[in-house]
Amino acid sequence: MKILKIAVLVALVGISTLLQAQYSQLGKKNEFMLKIEAGYAPFMGNMGEAGDYGFYVDKYHNAIQTNVMAGLNISQDWFVGLGAGFNYLHNTRNKEAENMMGVNFFADMDFRPIWKAVMGLDYQPTSIKWAPLIGVRAGGSLLMGDADKNGTTFTPMAEVYAGLNWYYWYFFHGMRNMTRNWHSFYLTIGLAYMQQAVFLPVRLGWRW
């Protein structure tokens, strides 16, 4: 477990260093970006083997989640950054089940292919309003529970997700300052692993 923690820490530090290097070289196509999102993640099932105290999360604990991410918007289409999130795990089937809280720390990357081509030439439509979205996340998850009950509660965290962006800038501002057309609201659904369990997160987010 110590090796796993060190590996996750090294990965996050490496990505942070890369982002700082990229940020120092920002040009027209690279801009600092923030993302904030809220969502709900139904419990799908456990994975692996239960320890002496059972699984860390079981009995159909669903997660209410909030996440904040900061990083680079690269060439309009890409985002690469680091994030942190809060989880409130509660049970809708068993009223006596204990509610739990946890935090996630992760690297986040998404791709929004909004560029089109005409006669072999790429261009960015000034009136684009919608774009698909795919992304991945990887990091660690810490459950803030009773260590005597669950043992160690740090696990890897991984997620894949897909969704849809609405670029609201054109809707509100028309053709003015379309260089900031990447501002959007988005809706995603994904498949996530953390705390020995698989979840199905559905999220609403805002990027700017």
Side-chain angles (χ1 to χ4, degrees):
M1 187 58 67
K2 288 184 178 180
I3 295 177
L4 177 60
K5 291 182 180 180
I6 293 173
V8 171
L9 179 61
V10 170
L12 293 177
V13 170
I15 293 173
S16 177
T17 302
L18 176 62
L19 288 177
Q20 290 177 0
Q22 288 179 319
Y23 184 75
S24 65
Q25 300 175 2
L26 291 183
K28 281 186 178 180
K29 295 184 178 180
N30 301 332
E31 297 193 58
F32 182 74
M33 174 182 283
L34 289 172
K35 294 166 59 177
I36 184 170
E37 58 190 27
Y40 193 74
F43 174 89
M44 302 298 292
N46 289 112
M47 292 185 63
E49 298 182 359
D52 295 336
Y53 303 96
F55 289 107
Y56 301 160
V57 176
D58 58 6
K59 300 178 182 177
Y60 297 93
H61 280 82
N62 302 321
I64 299 172
Q65 298 183 314
T66 58
N67 296 314
V68 177
M69 290 136 283
L72 287 182
N73 182 61
I74 303 173
S75 297
Q76 182 78 15
D77 298 348
W78 295 89
F79 170 80
V80 179
L82 298 176
F86 173 78
N87 302 313
Y88 178 75
L89 296 130
H90 69 114
N91 195 298
T92 56
R93 297 192 182 187
N94 183 357
K95 299 293 185 180
E96 297 180 359
E98 181 182 359
N99 296 333
M100 296 175 285
M101 294 183 291
V103 292
N104 294 339
F105 301 95
F106 53 87
D108 178 36
M109 180 179 73
D110 70 47
F111 175 56
R112 311 172 313 279
I114 71 168
W115 291 72
K116 296 182 179 180
V118 174
M119 299 179 63
L121 299 176
D122 289 336
Y123 80 108
Q124 178 189 340
T126 58
S127 61
I128 193 162
K129 299 174 184 175
W130 301 93
L133 163 69
I134 56 174
V136 296
R137 291 175 181 171
S141 175
L142 179 64
L143 188 65
M144 297 182 291
D146 186 350
D148 293 332
K149 178 180 178 181
N150 294 324
T152 180
T153 57
F154 181 86
T155 71
M157 171 258 173
E159 180 180 335
V160 294
Y161 58 92
L164 188 66
N165 282 270
W166 176 47
Y167 290 92
Y168 60 83
W169 191 266
Y170 180 81
F171 179 82
F172 290 107
H173 301 278
M175 295 294 293
R176 292 176 297 171
N177 195 14
M178 286 304 296
T179 58
R180 307 193 75 79
N181 189 43
W182 47 265
H183 290 223
S184 71
F185 295 108
Y186 59 90
L187 180 67
T188 64
I189 183 170
L191 194 64
Y193 169 81
M194 64 178 182
Q195 298 300 329
Q196 302 175 310
V198 176
F199 296 86
L200 189 71
V202 178
R203 300 192 180 102
L204 179 64
W206 178 30
R207 68 172 79 243
W208 77 97

XYZ file of all heavy atoms in Angstrom, residues 3-94:
714
model
N 3.749 1.548 -1.423
C 4.247 1.698 -2.787
C 3.186 2.347 -3.667
O 3.477 3.211 -4.491
C 4.649 0.323 -3.365
C 5.837 -0.252 -2.571
C 5.005 0.450 -4.843
C 6.258 -1.623 -3.009
N 1.927 1.945 -3.473
C 0.823 2.522 -4.242
C 0.676 4.013 -3.956
O 0.512 4.828 -4.868
C -0.478 1.790 -3.915
C -1.737 2.322 -4.601
C -1.599 2.231 -6.107
C -2.957 1.539 -4.114
N 0.751 4.390 -2.682
C 0.642 5.807 -2.317
C 1.760 6.611 -2.954
O 1.540 7.706 -3.480
C 0.681 5.960 -0.798
C -0.549 5.431 -0.074
C -0.431 5.668 1.415
C -1.649 5.154 2.163
N -1.561 5.365 3.604
N 2.979 6.059 -2.918
C 4.132 6.765 -3.490
C 3.955 6.920 -4.994
O 4.231 7.979 -5.562
C 5.435 6.007 -3.166
C 5.711 6.062 -1.648
C 6.600 6.601 -3.947
C 6.877 5.215 -1.217
N 3.451 5.856 -5.657
C 3.259 5.910 -7.107
C 2.243 6.966 -7.489
O 2.432 7.729 -8.444
C 2.815 4.539 -7.624
N 1.131 7.040 -6.740
C 0.104 8.048 -7.025
C 0.655 9.449 -6.797
O 0.437 10.362 -7.595
C -1.149 7.806 -6.152
C -2.122 8.979 -6.282
C -1.827 6.517 -6.538
N 1.418 9.632 -5.710
C 1.995 10.936 -5.394
C 2.970 11.380 -6.471
O 2.946 12.529 -6.917
C 2.696 10.884 -4.038
C 3.371 12.184 -3.573
C 2.335 13.293 -3.444
C 4.093 11.965 -2.245
N 3.830 10.460 -6.920
C 4.796 10.787 -7.971
C 4.088 11.181 -9.255
O 4.472 12.138 -9.946
C 5.741 9.596 -8.211
C 6.585 9.831 -9.467
C 6.651 9.386 -7.007
N 3.012 10.447 -9.591
C 2.258 10.758 -10.807
C 1.644 12.146 -10.741
O 1.711 12.923 -11.687
C 1.175 9.705 -11.039
N 1.040 12.482 -9.591
C 0.405 13.788 -9.438
C 1.424 14.920 -9.472
O 1.187 15.968 -10.068
C -0.394 13.833 -8.140
C -1.629 12.923 -8.088
C -2.286 13.023 -6.725
C -2.609 13.282 -9.184
N 2.580 14.701 -8.825
C 3.634 15.718 -8.841
C 4.165 15.908 -10.254
O 4.405 17.043 -10.705
C 4.774 15.321 -7.880
C 5.971 16.249 -8.071
C 4.291 15.383 -6.436
N 4.313 14.806 -10.982
C 4.800 14.898 -12.353
C 3.858 15.665 -13.243
O 4.267 16.515 -14.044
N 2.569 15.402 -13.108
C 1.570 16.109 -13.909
C 1.539 17.580 -13.533
O 1.424 18.456 -14.383
C 0.185 15.462 -13.730
C 0.190 14.055 -14.332
C -0.912 16.303 -14.372
C -1.067 13.274 -14.059
N 1.651 17.869 -12.231
C 1.666 19.264 -11.776
C 2.846 20.013 -12.373
O 2.723 21.156 -12.819
C 1.718 19.315 -10.246
O 1.802 20.638 -9.789
N 4.010 19.369 -12.386
C 5.197 19.998 -12.961
C 5.013 20.266 -14.437
O 5.384 21.318 -14.959
C 6.426 19.090 -12.742
O 6.589 18.853 -11.340
C 7.683 19.744 -13.305
N 4.392 19.280 -15.135
C 4.141 19.446 -16.561
C 3.197 20.608 -16.817
O 3.413 21.413 -17.731
C 3.550 18.161 -17.135
C 3.136 18.195 -18.625
C 4.356 18.463 -19.483
C 2.471 16.873 -19.014
N 2.152 20.733 -15.992
C 1.193 21.816 -16.157
C 1.850 23.170 -15.927
O 1.575 24.137 -16.643
C 0.017 21.639 -15.196
C -0.956 20.509 -15.518
C -2.014 20.412 -14.430
C -1.603 20.719 -16.875
N 2.732 23.258 -14.925
C 3.415 24.513 -14.659
C 4.296 24.913 -15.838
O 4.370 26.075 -16.209
C 4.254 24.391 -13.392
C 3.413 24.292 -12.117
C 4.267 24.107 -10.883
O 5.476 24.051 -10.949
N 3.625 23.989 -9.743
N 4.965 23.914 -16.424
C 5.816 24.199 -17.573
C 4.989 24.671 -18.760
O 5.361 25.601 -19.468
C 6.617 22.946 -17.954
N 3.835 24.018 -18.973
C 2.972 24.423 -20.076
C 2.373 25.804 -19.815
O 2.248 26.617 -20.724
C 1.854 23.399 -20.261
C 2.336 22.079 -20.843
C 1.193 21.095 -20.978
O 0.348 20.987 -20.099
N 1.170 20.377 -22.081
N 1.988 26.049 -18.569
C 1.361 27.322 -18.233
C 2.302 28.492 -18.513
O 1.877 29.574 -18.912
C 0.932 27.325 -16.772
C 0.190 28.563 -16.357
C -1.135 28.749 -16.740
C 0.807 29.550 -15.596
C -1.825 29.891 -16.375
C 0.115 30.694 -15.228
C -1.200 30.854 -15.614
O -1.875 31.980 -15.263
N 3.604 28.271 -18.303
C 4.575 29.332 -18.532
C 4.745 29.646 -20.013
O 5.348 30.651 -20.366
C 5.932 28.935 -17.929
O 6.465 27.814 -18.615
N 4.224 28.769 -20.887
C 4.368 28.964 -22.314
C 3.012 29.176 -22.989
O 2.827 28.853 -24.149
C 5.063 27.745 -22.937
C 6.444 27.507 -22.359
C 7.069 26.236 -22.899
O 6.500 25.549 -23.728
N 8.255 25.924 -22.433
N 2.063 29.701 -22.252
C 0.730 29.897 -22.806
C 0.776 30.842 -24.003
O 1.417 31.866 -23.973
C -0.214 30.482 -21.741
C -0.589 29.557 -20.582
C -1.566 30.266 -19.671
C -1.169 28.268 -21.090
N 0.049 30.459 -25.020
C -0.089 31.296 -26.186
C -1.558 31.444 -26.514
O -2.424 31.278 -25.656
N -1.858 31.764 -27.758
C -3.225 31.955 -28.179
C -4.080 30.714 -27.921
O -5.239 30.812 -27.590
C -3.266 32.285 -29.665
C -2.920 33.712 -30.005
C -3.149 33.909 -31.482
C -2.857 35.342 -31.893
N -3.098 35.510 -33.345
N -3.508 29.561 -28.171
C -4.287 28.328 -28.139
C -4.269 27.643 -26.774
O -4.899 26.612 -26.599
C -3.774 27.360 -29.207
C -3.972 27.873 -30.626
C -3.538 26.841 -31.645
C -3.788 27.336 -33.052
N -3.373 26.340 -34.067
N -3.526 28.163 -25.811
C -3.439 27.566 -24.486
C -3.859 28.580 -23.442
O -3.276 29.657 -23.346
C -2.005 27.106 -24.191
C -1.508 26.098 -25.205
O -2.285 25.355 -25.798
N -0.210 26.076 -25.428
N -4.865 28.234 -22.667
C -5.359 29.160 -21.654
C -5.661 28.401 -20.368
O -6.046 27.227 -20.388
C -6.626 29.866 -22.134
C -6.409 30.744 -23.353
C -7.597 31.649 -23.591
O -7.925 32.427 -22.679
O -8.195 31.551 -24.675
N -5.491 29.091 -19.254
C -5.815 28.516 -17.954
C -7.324 28.285 -17.861
O -8.122 29.105 -18.305
C -5.363 29.454 -16.842
C -5.612 28.927 -15.461
C -4.843 27.908 -14.934
C -6.644 29.436 -14.689
C -5.071 27.417 -13.665
C -6.892 28.961 -13.421
C -6.102 27.942 -12.907
N -7.712 27.154 -17.293
C -9.119 26.806 -17.211
C -9.453 26.255 -15.828
O -8.652 25.547 -15.211
C -9.482 25.754 -18.256
C -10.913 25.226 -18.156
S -11.286 23.932 -19.362
C -11.489 24.943 -20.827
N -10.650 26.576 -15.352
C -11.204 25.994 -14.138
C -12.458 25.205 -14.493
O -13.202 25.586 -15.400
C -11.553 27.076 -13.118
C -10.390 27.779 -12.433
C -10.902 28.954 -11.604
C -9.610 26.817 -11.548
N -12.671 24.125 -13.778
C -13.893 23.339 -13.927
C -14.465 23.069 -12.537
O -13.708 22.768 -11.609
C -13.604 21.997 -14.621
C -13.145 22.115 -16.048
C -12.561 20.803 -16.573
C -13.526 19.645 -16.529
N -12.926 18.410 -17.116
N -15.757 23.179 -12.414
C -16.426 22.844 -11.160
C -17.653 22.019 -11.507
O -18.321 22.296 -12.513
C -16.802 24.117 -10.364
C -17.402 23.743 -9.014
C -17.733 25.015 -11.163
C -17.577 24.923 -8.079
N -17.937 21.001 -10.712
C -19.051 20.127 -11.043
C -19.658 19.490 -9.799
O -19.020 19.379 -8.755
C -18.600 19.037 -12.023
C -17.474 18.178 -11.514
C -16.881 17.264 -12.571
O -16.941 17.590 -13.782
O -16.326 16.209 -12.191
N -20.910 19.112 -9.937
C -21.630 18.411 -8.886
C -22.332 17.220 -9.519
O -22.743 17.276 -10.690
C -22.635 19.329 -8.208
N -22.480 16.151 -8.752
C -23.107 14.985 -9.338
C -23.548 13.966 -8.314
O -23.367 14.142 -7.096
N -24.113 12.895 -8.839
C -24.598 11.800 -8.020
C -24.099 10.500 -8.635
O -24.206 10.305 -9.850
C -26.126 11.807 -7.963
C -26.707 10.904 -6.904
C -26.637 11.261 -5.562
C -27.317 9.702 -7.241
C -27.172 10.441 -4.577
C -27.860 8.871 -6.270
C -27.785 9.245 -4.938
O -28.308 8.427 -3.958
N -23.544 9.621 -7.799
C -22.921 8.391 -8.288
C -23.554 7.173 -7.621
O -23.184 6.805 -6.500
C -21.416 8.421 -8.024
N -24.510 6.522 -8.285
C -25.110 5.301 -7.726
C -24.089 4.178 -7.599
O -23.200 4.018 -8.439
C -26.199 4.942 -8.747
C -26.491 6.225 -9.466
C -25.182 6.965 -9.507
N -24.225 3.393 -6.540
C -23.373 2.234 -6.281
C -23.749 1.117 -7.247
O -24.924 0.776 -7.394
C -23.578 1.789 -4.836
C -22.865 0.518 -4.453
C -21.576 0.551 -3.960
C -23.500 -0.721 -4.573
C -20.926 -0.615 -3.584
C -22.859 -1.883 -4.199
C -21.569 -1.837 -3.713
N -22.727 0.525 -7.916
C -22.978 -0.554 -8.872
C -22.575 -1.922 -8.343
O -23.174 -2.929 -8.677
C -22.220 -0.268 -10.175
C -22.595 1.051 -10.822
S -24.338 1.117 -11.303
C -24.349 -0.086 -12.630
N -21.545 -1.977 -7.498
C -21.097 -3.262 -6.975
C -19.681 -3.187 -6.455
O -18.954 -2.224 -6.719
N -19.272 -4.201 -5.717
C -17.923 -4.272 -5.163
C -16.994 -5.044 -6.078
O -17.422 -5.899 -6.855
C -17.936 -4.916 -3.782
C -18.560 -4.034 -2.723
O -19.624 -4.318 -2.191
N -17.885 -2.941 -2.417
N -15.702 -4.758 -5.949
C -14.663 -5.464 -6.698
C -13.564 -5.891 -5.740
O -13.367 -5.277 -4.686
C -14.074 -4.567 -7.793
C -15.033 -4.242 -8.934
S -14.211 -3.306 -10.252
C -12.983 -4.507 -10.806
N -12.834 -6.929 -6.106
C -11.753 -7.411 -5.263
C -12.263 -8.303 -4.157
O -13.351 -8.888 -4.243
N -11.493 -8.404 -3.103
C -11.838 -9.278 -1.981
C -12.043 -8.457 -0.719
O -11.315 -7.505 -0.456
C -10.734 -10.304 -1.755
C -10.503 -11.241 -2.936
C -9.431 -12.274 -2.654
O -8.865 -12.229 -1.526
O -9.142 -13.092 -3.539
N -13.037 -8.857 0.033
C -13.311 -8.185 1.305
C -12.205 -8.493 2.315
O -11.700 -9.614 2.386
C -14.654 -8.625 1.853
N -11.813 -7.499 3.104
C -10.802 -7.703 4.136
C -11.405 -8.239 5.417
O -12.547 -8.726 5.440
N -10.667 -8.130 6.486
C -11.141 -8.628 7.785
C -12.407 -7.917 8.242
O -13.205 -8.469 8.998
C -10.047 -8.454 8.841
C -8.827 -9.303 8.538
O -8.981 -10.327 7.830
O -7.737 -8.951 9.008
N -12.592 -6.675 7.749
C -13.748 -5.892 8.169
C -14.788 -5.761 7.055
O -15.676 -4.933 7.130
C -13.297 -4.484 8.594
C -12.272 -4.495 9.700
C -10.913 -4.405 9.414
C -12.648 -4.607 11.038
C -9.959 -4.420 10.428
C -11.711 -4.616 12.051
C -10.361 -4.527 11.745
O -9.421 -4.541 12.740
N -14.643 -6.592 6.008
C -15.540 -6.487 4.874
C -15.030 -5.468 3.866
O -13.881 -5.029 3.923
N -15.880 -5.084 2.938
C -15.523 -4.044 1.978
C -15.601 -2.669 2.641
O -16.380 -2.442 3.554
C -16.471 -4.080 0.772
C -16.256 -5.268 -0.127
C -17.161 -6.313 -0.142
C -15.151 -5.333 -0.960
C -16.973 -7.408 -0.966
C -14.948 -6.423 -1.787
C -15.855 -7.464 -1.788
N -14.778 -1.735 2.123
C -14.812 -0.375 2.669
C -16.187 0.259 2.466
O -16.726 0.902 3.355
C -13.754 0.507 1.986
C -12.334 0.015 2.130
C -11.346 0.435 1.251
C -11.971 -0.858 3.153
C -10.034 0.007 1.373
C -10.670 -1.298 3.284
C -9.707 -0.877 2.392
O -8.419 -1.302 2.516
N -16.714 0.089 1.248
C -18.024 0.639 0.901
C -18.894 -0.500 0.380
O -18.539 -1.148 -0.600
C -17.911 1.739 -0.181
C -19.293 2.224 -0.601
C -17.078 2.900 0.331
N -20.005 -0.745 1.031
C -20.918 -1.790 0.569
C -22.338 -1.394 0.960
O -22.612 -0.228 1.280
C -20.534 -3.161 1.136
C -20.516 -3.193 2.651
O -20.903 -2.181 3.276
O -20.117 -4.219 3.223
N -23.250 -2.325 0.920
C -24.646 -2.086 1.306
C -25.269 -0.940 0.507
O -26.094 -0.195 1.000
C -24.741 -1.788 2.810
C -24.230 -2.923 3.683
C -24.303 -2.542 5.150
C -23.741 -3.661 6.024
N -23.729 -3.298 7.462
N -24.840 -0.826 -0.762
C -25.458 0.132 -1.679
C -25.334 1.589 -1.210
O -26.301 2.333 -1.214
C -26.916 -0.227 -1.939
C -27.072 -1.559 -2.618
C -27.273 -2.718 -1.872
C -26.984 -1.656 -4.006
C -27.391 -3.950 -2.499
C -27.096 -2.884 -4.626
C -27.305 -4.028 -3.875
O -27.405 -5.250 -4.486
N -24.140 1.965 -0.838
C -23.877 3.374 -0.548
C -23.709 4.142 -1.859
O -22.815 3.842 -2.648
C -22.605 3.530 0.291
C -22.799 3.252 1.739
N -22.791 1.978 2.250
C -23.016 4.081 2.798
C -22.972 2.028 3.566
N -23.119 3.291 3.919
N -24.566 5.111 -2.085
C -24.429 6.002 -3.232
C -23.656 7.247 -2.804
O -23.620 7.592 -1.620
C -25.799 6.393 -3.771
C -26.619 5.186 -4.184
O -26.093 4.230 -4.754
N -27.912 5.212 -3.887
N -23.055 7.943 -3.780
C -22.177 9.080 -3.464
C -22.712 10.375 -4.059
O -22.999 10.445 -5.257
C -20.767 8.817 -3.989
N -22.858 11.387 -3.213
C -23.071 12.760 -3.660
C -21.691 13.396 -3.784
O -20.906 13.351 -2.837
C -23.942 13.540 -2.661
C -25.312 12.878 -2.520
C -24.092 14.989 -3.089
C -26.162 13.482 -1.417
N -21.396 13.982 -4.945
C -20.028 14.417 -5.217
C -19.957 15.879 -5.654
O -20.851 16.387 -6.336
C -19.410 13.564 -6.333
C -19.300 12.087 -6.003
C -18.629 11.308 -7.109
O -18.943 11.478 -8.280
N -17.684 10.461 -6.742
N -18.878 16.534 -5.271
C -18.496 17.837 -5.826
C -17.011 17.775 -6.170
O -16.216 17.202 -5.413
C -18.738 18.986 -4.827
O -17.999 18.740 -3.620
C -20.220 19.114 -4.501
N -16.633 18.347 -7.314
C -15.248 18.341 -7.769
C -14.842 19.720 -8.253
O -15.658 20.459 -8.822
C -15.052 17.342 -8.922
C -15.294 15.911 -8.509
O -14.819 15.465 -7.470
N -16.047 15.181 -9.316
N -13.573 20.065 -8.056
C -12.984 21.291 -8.586
C -11.678 20.920 -9.270
O -10.862 20.187 -8.697
C -12.720 22.327 -7.478
C -12.044 23.564 -8.067
C -14.011 22.718 -6.774
N -11.466 21.426 -10.505
C -10.269 21.116 -11.272
C -9.660 22.394 -11.847
O -10.386 23.339 -12.178
C -10.593 20.164 -12.428
C -10.954 18.755 -11.974
S -12.384 18.115 -12.869
C -13.724 18.982 -12.048
N -8.356 22.408 -11.972
C -7.637 23.531 -12.570
C -6.579 22.980 -13.506
O -5.909 21.988 -13.182
C -6.988 24.400 -11.497
N -6.427 23.627 -14.669
C -5.439 23.151 -15.616
C -5.394 24.001 -16.863
O -5.677 25.189 -16.828
N -5.059 23.368 -17.992
C -4.895 24.068 -19.249
C -5.948 23.663 -20.256
O -6.242 22.474 -20.424
C -3.518 23.765 -19.845
C -2.304 24.412 -19.194
C -1.047 24.017 -19.953
C -2.451 25.918 -19.149
N -6.511 24.660 -20.917
C -7.309 24.441 -22.116
C -6.346 24.550 -23.295
O -5.773 25.608 -23.542
C -8.404 25.503 -22.206
C -9.289 25.289 -23.406
O -9.939 24.267 -23.531
N -9.324 26.280 -24.298
N -6.141 23.454 -24.015
C -5.119 23.385 -25.059
C -5.776 23.287 -26.429
O -6.538 22.356 -26.693
C -4.182 22.182 -24.840
C -3.524 22.262 -23.451
C -3.118 22.115 -25.930
C -2.722 21.041 -23.085
N -5.489 24.269 -27.290
C -6.003 24.283 -28.665
C -7.505 24.068 -28.721
O -7.997 23.340 -29.586
C -5.285 23.219 -29.505
O -3.914 23.505 -29.594
N -8.223 24.668 -27.818
C -9.683 24.645 -27.756
C -10.253 23.288 -27.365
O -11.210 23.191 -26.611
C -10.283 25.067 -29.103
C -11.808 25.118 -29.143
C -12.389 26.370 -28.486
O -11.669 27.316 -28.249
N -13.669 26.367 -28.217
N -9.649 22.206 -27.857
C -10.280 20.890 -27.741
C -9.911 20.113 -26.487
O -10.657 19.222 -26.075
C -9.905 20.019 -28.944
C -10.398 20.595 -30.254
O -11.219 21.527 -30.213
O -9.964 20.129 -31.310
N -8.753 20.371 -25.896
C -8.227 19.515 -24.833
C -8.191 20.251 -23.501
O -7.944 21.447 -23.435
C -6.800 19.069 -25.157
C -6.702 18.185 -26.360
C -6.543 18.578 -27.659
C -6.734 16.759 -26.370
N -6.487 17.479 -28.467
C -6.598 16.344 -27.716
C -6.866 15.790 -25.368
C -6.587 15.009 -28.091
C -6.857 14.457 -25.740
C -6.719 14.072 -27.079
N -8.394 19.485 -22.426
C -8.153 19.977 -21.071
C -7.276 18.970 -20.343
O -7.538 17.749 -20.376
C -9.466 20.157 -20.302
C -9.246 20.441 -18.829
C -8.913 21.717 -18.399
C -9.352 19.426 -17.883
C -8.689 21.977 -17.058
C -9.135 19.677 -16.538
C -8.800 20.959 -16.122
N -6.243 19.455 -19.662
C -5.388 18.625 -18.816
C -5.195 19.368 -17.499
O -4.795 20.536 -17.495
C -4.024 18.343 -19.470
C -3.150 17.500 -18.546
C -4.195 17.657 -20.814
N -5.492 18.713 -16.383
C -5.357 19.407 -15.111
C -5.392 18.486 -13.917
O -5.422 17.255 -14.052
N -5.408 19.087 -12.740
C -5.474 18.369 -11.478
C -6.747 18.766 -10.756
O -7.230 19.901 -10.900
C -4.259 18.686 -10.605
C -2.896 18.288 -11.155
C -1.792 18.756 -10.214
C -2.817 16.778 -11.361
N -7.292 17.848 -9.957
C -8.535 18.140 -9.269
C -8.619 17.498 -7.902
O -7.836 16.610 -7.544
N -9.599 17.965 -7.141
C -9.910 17.396 -5.833
C -11.426 17.343 -5.708
O -12.149 18.195 -6.246
C -9.306 18.245 -4.719
N -11.906 16.331 -5.003
C -13.348 16.175 -4.871
C -13.747 15.707 -3.488
O -12.936 15.150 -2.735
N -14.999 15.938 -3.157
C -15.580 15.525 -1.883
C -16.718 14.547 -2.160
O -17.537 14.766 -3.064
C -16.105 16.739 -1.120
C -16.866 16.382 0.128
C -16.193 16.022 1.289
C -18.254 16.383 0.130
C -16.893 15.680 2.437
C -18.967 16.047 1.270
C -18.288 15.693 2.425
N -16.764 13.466 -1.388
C -17.812 12.458 -1.524
C -18.595 12.330 -0.222
O -17.993 12.246 0.858
C -17.214 11.080 -1.852
C -16.398 11.081 -3.120
O -16.831 11.607 -4.132
N -15.210 10.493 -3.066
N -19.907 12.322 -0.335
C -20.763 12.007 0.801
C -21.515 10.730 0.442
O -22.370 10.720 -0.450
C -21.743 13.141 1.089
C -22.685 12.830 2.241
C -22.233 12.873 3.556
C -24.015 12.482 2.006
C -23.087 12.581 4.611
C -24.875 12.190 3.058
C -24.403 12.245 4.357
O -25.244 11.949 5.405
N -21.161 9.640 1.109
C -21.726 8.332 0.813
C -22.877 8.027 1.760
O -22.711 8.030 2.976
C -20.638 7.259 0.928
C -19.506 7.427 -0.098
C -18.160 7.373 0.576
C -19.626 6.392 -1.177
N -24.036 7.755 1.169
C -25.218 7.484 1.982
C -25.962 6.295 1.397
O -25.738 5.873 0.260
C -26.136 8.720 2.017
C -26.781 9.005 0.687
N -28.124 8.906 0.491
C -26.241 9.361 -0.503
C -28.408 9.185 -0.772
N -27.281 9.482 -1.395
N -26.853 5.734 2.178
C -27.555 4.522 1.775
C -29.053 4.783 1.700
O -29.661 5.260 2.660
C -27.262 3.404 2.787
C -27.652 2.043 2.253
O -28.812 1.782 1.976
N -26.669 1.175 2.109
N -29.628 4.474 0.543
C -31.064 4.705 0.360
C -31.891 3.460 0.656
O -33.112 3.535 0.726
C -31.347 5.161 -1.084
O -30.831 4.173 -1.998
C -30.672 6.502 -1.355
N -31.224 2.303 0.828
C -31.947 1.059 1.068
C -31.965 0.659 2.539
O -32.899 0.041 3.013
C -31.313 -0.084 0.257
C -31.389 0.109 -1.241
C -31.009 -1.166 -1.943
N -31.018 -1.018 -3.397
C -30.852 -2.031 -4.227
N -30.655 -3.251 -3.767
N -30.870 -1.818 -5.532
N -30.896 1.038 3.216
C -30.769 0.638 4.614
C -30.597 1.892 5.469
O -29.536 2.499 5.498
C -29.577 -0.299 4.791
C -29.438 -0.802 6.221
O -30.193 -0.410 7.114
N -28.465 -1.677 6.441
